[in-house]
């Protein structure tokens, strides 16, 4: 903690020294947020309402969805009741999580100047601690093993391991390049066959797929993709267009920008990640702020906390209950190479992820001024997104234009479908939209 606060102090001092030239040197922007309009977006629990389900006879709106009708035409202001309905179990949620809420109010403020879009978000977390613990490893007296997991995992449901998964805020942006996103939003990217969705293929099937598997992206599961990336009308996970056809679509701007603020893997270094969706959910070119802290051959951590800087080499299981400080290993800040002879005891815990702001680079590091603070049971996240990142795997935002955004929050130790999502939201840069980013300069 000491080290982290020193780092922040250094940034503040830097900003103070150069306040005239770089008033926005820090991610916690000196914007007078109190003068920026406050909007609220209701996010709701979608369960397994995939693109395929929406077009199926099970969905009364299927025919109109097939013609491109907007979800909100029939579902205006029904997010809360839909979410409550679905989260409690039934057709669209075969495996409900006990006590989970059905919707979430996302408070949004937006502003812009010549350079940047500034966003500020606030939402209440269901848990009484921030979700800052992710991919942790526990020493059992002899070896290290992954510990904890999302609430949907069997071993967590059965109480054998604690719920541990990071809180996240995701933003999808379309500039009109993706047909029907304006009307149907995130649902265009959610399909049968994806992780935790019906019809999930085996990992072997994915690994032997020419595009997704070992000869291609090297994946073993299916993640978000767009209908435009598939060859058949039911947009099957395995009917992927050729790499040449996908590249052409990408050049034409047929992709979604997808950025995620991650409470464990990006927030401790004041960043969000940066990716895009077309044939799969991929990260942009370059290097993410996070990587694995695990040597997969020996299953030992690569780094531990630096006792000289943090006062101890690891966390323990009991720190998890209270919310540990610091929770994250940051290479340039508080990490030391793992010492196998440091006297490890049963119940010692280390993050299985290593963060670095210094090592992050390229288009993957575009969101380098994103700061979240958890206070009084709510996250407040301030996000600076350059209007033009200068990278062709991002959407360029222009003043005077509107864009369709989709928001999602993963709250209270969940991943995949167990999130809250919004219907499409129009954001105007300077004018127009459901939310207008007000002009600062
Ligand atoms: C032509 C009208 C219409 C359109 C357009 C439409 N729906 Fe529906 N949808 C319905 C009706 C009617 C129901 C059943 C009643 C209800 O639950 O609201 C329904 C049910 C649902 C449900 C199940 C709700 C529950 O409580 O179990 C979901 C989820 C859903 N729709 C999502 C969508 C999404 C996402 C879109 C846009 C891609 C969409 N719908 C577009 C009419 C429509």
């Amino acid at each position: 903690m000491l080290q982290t606060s020193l780092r922040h102090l250094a940034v503040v001092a830097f900003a103070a020294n150069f306040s005239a030239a770089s008033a926005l040197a820090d991610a916690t922007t000196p914007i007078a947020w109190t003068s920026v309009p406050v909007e609220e977006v209701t996010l709701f629990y979608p369960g397994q309402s995939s693109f395929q389900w929406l077009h199926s006879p099970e969905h009364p709106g299927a025919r109109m969805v097939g013609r491109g009708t907007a979800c909100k035409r029939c579902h205006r202001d029904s997010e809360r009741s839909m979410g409550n309905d679905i989260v409690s179990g039934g057709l669209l949620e075969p495996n409900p999580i006990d006590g989970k809420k059905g919707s979430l109010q996302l408070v949004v403020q937006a502003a812009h100047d010549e350079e940047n879009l500034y966003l500020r978000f606030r939402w209440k977390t269901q848990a009484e601690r921030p979700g800052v613990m992710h991919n942790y490893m526990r020493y059992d007296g002899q070896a290290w093993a992954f510990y904890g997991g999302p609430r949907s995992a069997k071993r967590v449901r059965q109480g054998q391991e604690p719920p541990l998964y990071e809180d996240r805020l995701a933003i999808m942006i379309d500039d009109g390049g993706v047909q029907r996103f304006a009307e149907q939003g995130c649902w265009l990217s959610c399909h049968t066959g994806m992780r935790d969705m019906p019809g999930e293929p085996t990992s072997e099937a994915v690994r032997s797929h020419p595009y997704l598997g070992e000869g291609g992206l090297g994946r073993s599961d299916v993640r978000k993709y767009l209908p435009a990336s598939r060859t058949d009308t039911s947009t099957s996970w395995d009917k992927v267009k050729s790499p040449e056809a996908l590249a052409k679509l990408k050049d034409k701007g047929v992709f979604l920008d997808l950025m995620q603020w991650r409470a464990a893997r990006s927030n401790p270094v004041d960043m969000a990640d940066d990716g895009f969706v077309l044939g799969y959910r991929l990260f942009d070119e370059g290097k993410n702020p996070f990587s694995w802290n695990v040597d997969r051959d020996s299953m030992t951590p690569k780094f531990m906390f630096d006792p000289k800087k943090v006062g101890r080499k690891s966390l323990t299981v009991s720190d998890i209950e209270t919310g540990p400080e610091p929770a994250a290993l940051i290479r340039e800040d508080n990490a030391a190479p793992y010492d196998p002879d440091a006297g490890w005891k049963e119940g010692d815990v280390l993050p299985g992820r290593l963060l670095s702001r210094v090592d992050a680079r390229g288009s993957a590091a575009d969101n380098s001024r994103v700061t979240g603070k958890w206070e009084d049971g709510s996250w407040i996240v301030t996000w600076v997104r350059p209007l033009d990142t200068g990278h062709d795997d991002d959407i360029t935002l222009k003043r005077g234009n509107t864009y369709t955004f989709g928001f999602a929050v993963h709250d209270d130790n969940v991943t995949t479908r167990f999130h809250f999502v919004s219907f499409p939201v129009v954001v105007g840069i300077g004018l127009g939209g459901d939310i207008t980013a007000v002009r600062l300069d």
Side-chain angles (χ1 to χ4, degrees), residues 263-301:
R265 282 179 280 179
S266 74
N267 189 50
V269 291
D270 292 331
M271 293 182 75
D273 75 20
D274 197 3
F276 70 96
V277 179
L278 174 55
Y280 199 81
R281 171 165 77 77
L282 293 172
F283 290 115
D284 289 355
E285 298 273 1
K287 192 172 179 335
N288 277 327
F290 55 90
S291 59
W292 285 102
N293 182 39
V294 185
D295 180 323
R296 291 287 173 156
D297 293 332
S298 60
M299 277 307 281
T300 50

Side-chain angles (χ1 to χ4, degrees), residues 219-233:
R219 303 306 161 116
S220 55
D221 59 23
V222 181
R223 303 199 184 179
K224 291 183 176 58
Y225 59 86
L226 294 179
S229 69
R230 297 312 198 252
T231 56
D232 63 337
T233 48

